[in-house]
Amino acid sequence: MSEGSKGSSLAFGQVVIGPPGSGKTTYCHGMQEFMGRIGRKVTVVNLDPANEAMPYQCAVDIAELITLPDVMENLKLGPNGGLIYCMEYLEANFDWLQEKLAAFKGHYYLFDCPGQVELYTHHDALKNVFAQLAKWNFRLAAVHLVDSHYCTDPGKFISVLCTSLSTMLHVELPHVNILSKMDLIEQYGKLAFNLDYYTEVLDLSYLVDHLASDPFFRNYRRLNEKLVEVIEDYSLVSFVPLNVQDKESMRQVMQAVDKANGYSFGDQEHRSLEALMSAAVGADFHFTSTLAVQEKYVQSQDKALEEEVMDL
């Protein structure tokens, strides 16, 4: 049997990537539950050897192959070096991964990946794992989660844009960038612009101007302008806002990912989705609208404009 034909039928899924604390495991848990409610058979694969407390039902766990604490203890490596070693070990043991995945043929896959940025920006181990999955007829989309609180700091947001662009170019998969934890964004401070500005990555010159008001960043204006030019020249980076407790937000993310990897669901799943979206709020969900953040900023700006007119 040839390598490319080992999985004759297509398999669809998501590789969930992003920096530490961005909500990857929570996302996998929420998406597993959401997709389960519309009848999609979901298998969650934990590829993070440091992930010990998993809230979701884990079908395949890299801990059965290798764990980060064992690597750090036996090879005297730090957490970063240990994670890189674990991913290289996984790359060298494709047969283990293939055997585990074969037990869940016909399922939709969520791959919960480690939270080390280097693995997605310039190291090749995970990239090669994704490429091998593609050879096994997996149609994957990369779901890159970024904590939405970075929007409240212009300098950090430019850094996030650079990281997201670098990740998109390196991973070489259909890509969906997610601003996670939208329900918590206002705990970190007020946004300088409307939410659309950050999700659509609109004219970033305004962000550079906003940065220039800070004495520390004023000296680096030229550098920030060049970074912004690189981001805008590629014109690839945009974000989908996510509140994992908001079913409308989850639906929008799921549909964006399905579009990215070409997944097409049947009539039964469509009817289940419509029923879920029209159902009354259950006790186990807290469906607060993600759009409430955007509406609040529009209303506050309208009020500020009215006050300016009154002053005139």
Side-chain angles (χ1 to χ4, degrees), residues 72-245:
M72 292 173 63
E73 180 180 352
N74 295 324
L75 300 181
K76 308 304 178 186
L77 293 173
N80 290 344
L83 272 174
I84 290 176
Y85 180 89
C86 289
M87 293 302 101
E88 291 176 344
Y89 191 80
L90 174 63
E91 182 186 1
N93 288 274
F94 280 139
D95 54 341
W96 174 86
L97 183 60
Q98 185 185 18
E99 181 182 347
K100 291 292 184 180
L101 296 178
F104 302 96
K105 190 174 181 180
H107 286 215
Y108 186 95
Y109 297 85
L110 297 173
F111 293 89
D112 188 3
C113 298
Q116 186 175 349
V117 175
E118 297 95 317
L119 293 171
Y120 313 117
T121 55
H122 58 272
H123 194 267
D124 285 337
L126 261 182
K127 175 184 176 181
N128 294 338
V129 171
F130 300 155
Q132 183 62 50
L133 288 169
K135 292 179 181 178
W136 294 339
N137 284 333
F138 278 77
R139 296 296 178 264
L140 301 173
V143 177
H144 183 221
L145 269 67
V146 174
D147 197 317
S148 60
H149 86 263
Y150 290 120
C151 295
T152 61
D153 186 318
K156 290 180 180 178
F157 188 64
I158 289 178
S159 176
V160 160
L161 292 174
C162 292
T163 303
S164 298
L165 178 59
S166 178
T167 301
M168 294 175 76
L169 296 175
H170 183 73
V171 172
E172 296 180 344
L173 284 175
H175 209 95
V176 178
N177 291 305
I178 304 289
L179 281 177
S180 62
K181 306 178 186 178
M182 284 303 302
D183 51 322
L184 303 177
I185 188 171
E186 292 187 311
Q187 293 184 10
Y188 301 98
K190 186 174 175 62
L191 298 180
F193 306 101
N194 276 350
L195 186 61
D196 285 349
Y197 180 86
Y198 300 94
T199 57
E200 301 302 325
V201 189
L202 301 176
D203 189 350
L204 295 178
S205 62
Y206 293 108
L207 208 59
V208 175
D209 291 339
H210 192 71
L211 266 177
S213 62
D214 187 321
F216 176 79
F217 287 105
R218 192 174 299 141
N219 296 329
Y220 301 98
R221 182 184 181 101
R222 186 63 178 158
L223 172 62
N224 289 324
E225 287 175 346
K226 288 301 181 182
L227 290 174
V228 162
E229 284 179 17
V230 171
I231 296 165
E232 292 184 329
D233 284 347
Y234 276 96
S235 191
L236 289 175
V237 184
S238 62
F239 295 92
V240 179
L242 171 66
N243 172 6
V244 79
Q245 294 180 328

Side-chain angles (χ1 to χ4, degrees), residues 24-26 28-30 32 44-64 66-67 110-113:
K24 297 183 294 298
T25 297
T26 301
C28 289
H29 183 208
Q32 181 186 47
V44 182
V45 181
N46 175 44
L47 294 184
D48 184 356
N51 198 352
E52 297 177 349
M54 292 170 286
Y56 49 71
Q57 296 177 2
C58 182
V60 180
D61 189 356
I62 193 176
E64 297 176 19
I66 191 170
T67 66
L110 297 173
F111 293 89
D112 188 3
C113 298

